[in-house]
Amino acid sequence: MTTSVEGQFTGKAGLVTGASAGIGEAAARMFADRGAAVTLVDIDVDAGRRIVAEIEAGGGTARFEGCDLTDPEAVKRMVDGAAKAYGRLDFAFNNAGITGSVHPTADVPLEEWEKVIKLDLTSVFYCMKYEIPHLVAGGGGAIVNTSSDAGTQAVAGIAAYVAAKHAVVGLTKSAAMEYAAHGVRINAICPGATKTRMMAEWFAASPDAEAAATRSIPLGRLAEVDEIAEAVLWLCSDAAHYAIGMAMALDGGLTLGPAHPTG
Ligand SMILES: NC(=O)c1ccc[n+]([C@@H]2O[C@H](COP(=O)([O-])OP(=O)(O)OC[C@H]3O[C@@H](n4cnc5c(N)ncnc54)[C@H](O)[C@@H]3O)[C@@H](O)[C@H]2O)c1
């Protein structure tokens, strides 16, 4: 038996951050395709407006909010605006993030540490702080926060990113426990290497980086953005009603452990 996902989110409304590119863009388009009214949130206004126009041209319902997620007042305005625009807030995908520049820990510039922690960790807290009251008031809903494979294992050279992504997992678990009784399910995803601009920039730094990353993935390839978006939609759907506090690995087996020769 196949279950149709078409119209799965009809009558629901939500927001996606980091929606002007990569994983966030793919998720926003997929939510709209499946019937949701979606607020796309990003600092990149031109790309966000273009994507909203394309969603609308395809018959979907979407709006764009330009927002620097490191500004708590702007985040509050954005979240309240998203809830007001469609009269409800059923889901939120808190996804925007940056990797930051590559240095060993002792050489990380102070401002670089602040910048990465502010977006990759603190902005996720701001989003949840202002989203949760709307979800509770509406009788429940779902939040998905984007962590990373770097949220469960070390990656040399990007200490602030690794620290922030580990913290997103902890923040997700605490909040999931607090709001379960209110019907708000909160989960994190931990994507591995996924074909986006972020990954292209990372690979551009060294000639062998992409081949080395691919070799370390048991499935033998990078993820497509839609493969990550599918999991986000499942976590936000009614089908996931028993899933809370997860740090869902979506990494082709990257974090399963070192491959051992079998002899
Ligand atoms: N691509 C990967 O391989 C990978 C792997 C693991 C985790 N992730 C995580 O997935 C998320 C999305 O990554 P992606 O690869 O799609 O990145 P991306 O660079 O393609 O997209 C990130 C988006 O965030 C937006 N953004 C950046 N700073 C912002 C700010 N201050 N306020 C609002 N928006 C801002 C950017 O404009 C961009 O549209 C990130 O949290 C990232 O850490 C990505």
Side-chain angles (χ1 to χ4, degrees):
M1 190 187 93
T2 53
T3 310
S4 170
V5 292
E6 211 177 304
Q8 191 182 26
F9 288 91
T10 301
K12 307 236 172 179
L15 68 87
V16 175
T17 77
S20 290
I23 293 168
E25 174 184 350
R29 288 182 186 275
M30 204 177 274
F31 274 121
D33 275 353
R34 296 191 190 166
V38 191
T39 296
L40 287 80
V41 183
D42 207 287
I43 204 165
D44 181 345
V45 174
D46 291 345
R49 289 199 176 133
R50 176 182 49 78
I51 295 162
V52 163
E54 288 171 8
I55 290 172
E56 287 178 329
T61 303
R63 59 191 284 278
F64 179 74
E65 280 262 356
C67 178
D68 178 354
L69 294 158
T70 63
D71 173 351
E73 287 173 14
V75 173
K76 182 168 183 356
R77 274 196 305 277
M78 174 280 286
V79 172
D80 291 348
K84 193 166 173 213
Y86 297 121
R88 56 191 297 134
L89 193 69
D90 300 292
F91 63 85
F93 179 31
N94 302 320
N95 163 75
I98 48 169
T99 315
S101 52
V102 178
H103 310 272
T105 299
D107 297 336
V108 176
L110 294 180
E111 60 279 9
E112 182 72 9
W113 174 269
E114 294 291 342
K115 187 174 135 192
V116 173
I117 296 291
K118 245 182 158 175
L119 182 63
D120 291 358
L121 172 58
T122 311
S123 87
V124 176
F125 164 68
Y126 294 155
C127 286
M128 286 209 293
K129 177 172 172 57
Y130 298 121
E131 291 158 358
I132 287 169
H134 288 288
L135 295 172
V136 170
I143 292 177
V144 175
N145 298 320
T146 302
S147 176
S148 168
D149 62 279
T152 58
Q153 67 173 12
V155 180
I158 47 171
Y161 183 80
V162 172
K165 294 297 189 181
H166 273 71
V168 165
V169 170
L171 179 62
T172 299
K173 288 182 178 178
S174 291
M177 190 180 270
E178 291 164 357
Y179 292 98
H182 296 273
V184 180
R185 294 183 303 95
I186 305 176
N187 289 285
I189 55 161
C190 298
T194 307
K195 290 185 199 164
T196 68
R197 179 179 59 196
M198 174 186 275
M199 213 57 219
E201 284 167 8
W202 176 256
F203 288 151
S206 109
D208 186 43
E210 182 162 2
T214 305
R215 277 196 302 275
S216 67
I217 301 169
L219 278 183
R221 62 177 179 82
L222 271 55
E224 304 290 339
V225 286
D226 280 355
E227 293 178 298
I228 309 301
E230 280 284 4
V232 174
L233 267 78
W234 178 76
L235 286 169
C236 288
S237 76
D238 293 340
H241 41 69
Y242 207 62
I244 70 161
M246 289 171 68
M248 184 193 262
L250 296 164
D251 62 8
L254 175 68
T255 53
L256 288 176
H260 293 291
T262 51

